[in-house]
Amino acid sequence: MVKSANFAVLGKNIAPDLGKKGPATDLAFYDRKDSDVIRTWVHPTGYPEKIQPMIQAVTMSEFVVFCVESLDRFAGEQIIALDMLKKDRGVLLHTFEVDAQRLEGMIKGTVVEKYTRVTEEKIKEAVDAFEPVQCAGPTKIVIDQCFDVKGVGTVILGNVTSGMVKQYDTLKLYPGGMEILVKSIQMHDAPVTESAAPARVGLAVKGVKPEDVGRGDVLCMDADVRTEISLDFVKSPFYKGEPTEGQGCLACVGLQIKAARFSSLSPLVLVFEKELVCEKGQTILVLKPESDTIRIMGSGTIR
């Protein structure tokens, strides 16, 4: 079976040097197949104007390629996101203008400190050294795109985050719970009959239309869907201000980014405007996109 490895490319976009460009919106995808491994790189083209694409690119990847161009607040924001999301496997490089000693000071004590230091000339060799991981468990596919293809019907693009998906599987689309049939599967533009996590897949499905599907929706057999969550919250020391009851925010769980408000501070409880697919113990980032400084308020685990 073909194996998969997924990388978030932050800072300078060096993904065109690593793979062939595929779909692009506020997230641009690149991939390359070598023997029995498909490597995919996703770069958040919508960042830094919006923080959401950067968080989503990191969330959907097992590994990180971080090419620092400038030691500004956005570099700091990305370091905070990587640390809070516990993305401790990656490579770190920087452009000529960046003060290497100052960069080392910024990443000290974070997961980024563990990254392999490389030069741009050695980047392909460095990323190829990461072995694909296996993610056992029940079938779960997190969706990032959905559209209609003439003669095929509804096509879903996403990542198998656990378990395996097979042709003719019947799954449910959450949060709505609609039943769908997987008619066919593609990986790297080639048909396959099954794909195992953490594969990136294209699924031709029956049972839903593109307007029924949103980024962050989940295909699985069963899911926990809530409009209120309690979490163990840790505020970022770099975020100015404190959460208050009734205050609005955005909460990021997987690829879902949903409007929420603090209904209680002790314990900390978030109430959502729309249903959220989540799991106990899952990491959540709380964002304040309109902040003039760091836009990450903090993080926590769902109770």
Side-chain angles (χ1 to χ4, degrees):
M1 182 182 295
V2 177
K3 298 178 182 179
S4 301
N6 303 292
F7 298 78
V9 179
L10 302 185
K12 180 182 176 182
N13 184 17
I14 58 176
D17 298 330
L18 299 171
K20 178 182 176 182
K21 188 173 183 181
T25 53
D26 55 349
L27 297 171
F29 293 87
Y30 304 78
D31 64 13
R32 185 183 83 236
K33 183 178 181 182
D34 295 314
S35 185
D36 63 343
V37 179
I38 297 174
R39 292 179 176 84
T40 301
W41 295 270
V42 55
H43 175 69
T45 56
Y47 185 81
E49 290 75 21
K50 293 183 178 181
I51 188 173
Q52 294 94 317
M54 184 270 288
I55 300 295
Q56 291 172 324
V58 172
T59 298
M60 67 197 307
S61 305
E62 306 94 67
F63 310 107
V64 178
V65 177
F66 192 8
C67 183
V68 181
E69 293 184 279
S70 175
L71 298 181
D72 55 14
R73 71 181 179 95
F74 300 117
E77 189 170 69
Q78 291 171 93
I79 293 167
I80 292 169
L82 292 168
D83 194 52
M84 288 186 169
L85 290 170
K86 302 177 176 62
K87 296 295 181 175
D88 59 358
R89 293 172 291 181
V91 296
L92 178 68
L93 61 160
H94 59 81
T95 57
F96 179 77
E97 298 82 9
V98 169
D99 184 327
Q101 187 172 357
R102 188 178 162 211
L103 174 60
E104 291 294 333
M106 288 178 67
I107 65 173
K108 187 175 178 59
T110 74
V111 294
V112 183
E113 189 176 20
K114 301 177 182 178
Y115 288 10
T116 303
R117 309 303 193 271
V118 297
T119 61
E120 196 163 339
E121 293 75 20
K122 298 287 187 179
I123 188 64
K124 183 179 180 299
E125 179 182 338
V127 298
D128 287 354
F130 287 99
E131 290 291 332
V133 298
Q134 292 185 329
C135 306
T139 301
K140 180 179 177 182
I141 302 156
V142 179
I143 299 166
D144 59 78
Q145 294 181 57
C146 184
F147 45 84
D148 186 74
V149 175
K150 188 175 180 179
V152 177
T154 302
V155 171
I156 284 171
L157 302 183
N159 285 52
V160 186
T161 58
S162 70
M164 177 182 292
V165 60
K166 298 181 180 180
Q167 188 177 18
Y168 308 125
D169 273 354
T170 298
L171 300 168
K172 289 185 178 180
L173 175 69
Y174 288 97
M178 289 180 288
E179 191 170 272
I180 69 103
L181 172 70
V182 178
K183 297 191 297 181
S184 63
I185 307 170
Q186 283 199 340
M187 294 178 64
H188 195 65
D189 297 325
V192 296
T193 58
E194 58 185 26
S195 298
R200 178 158 179 81
V201 294
L203 306 177
V205 302
K206 181 180 179 181
V208 294
K209 298 183 182 298
E211 56 266 29
D212 300 324
V213 185
R215 181 181 287 178
D217 286 358
V218 176
L219 287 173
C220 57
M221 289 301 298
D222 189 31
D224 185 2
V225 179
R226 309 187 200 177
T227 55
E228 179 178 301
I229 61 170
S230 176
L231 66 152
D232 298 311
F233 180 75
V234 178
K235 189 181 84 71
S236 168
F238 303 100
Y239 178 78
K240 298 186 188 223
E242 297 289 336
T244 58
E245 284 193 20
Q247 182 182 20
C249 63
L250 289 181
C252 177
V253 181
L255 294 190
Q256 302 166 97
I257 297 184
K258 307 268 189 180
R261 63 179 175 83
F262 295 94
S263 67
S264 168
L265 298 180
S266 184
L268 196 141
V269 177
L270 288 176
V271 175
F272 292 82
E273 295 179 4
K274 296 183 179 179
E275 291 180 318
L276 179 81
V277 184
C278 59
E279 299 174 9
K280 184 178 179 181
Q282 193 170 10
T283 298
I284 180 169
L285 291 192
V286 181
L287 312 177
K288 201 70 175 174
E290 65 271 25
S291 172
D292 292 330
T293 55
I294 299 300
R295 293 172 283 186
I296 303 173
M297 294 181 71
S299 66
T301 53
I302 298 173
R303 294 179 180 174

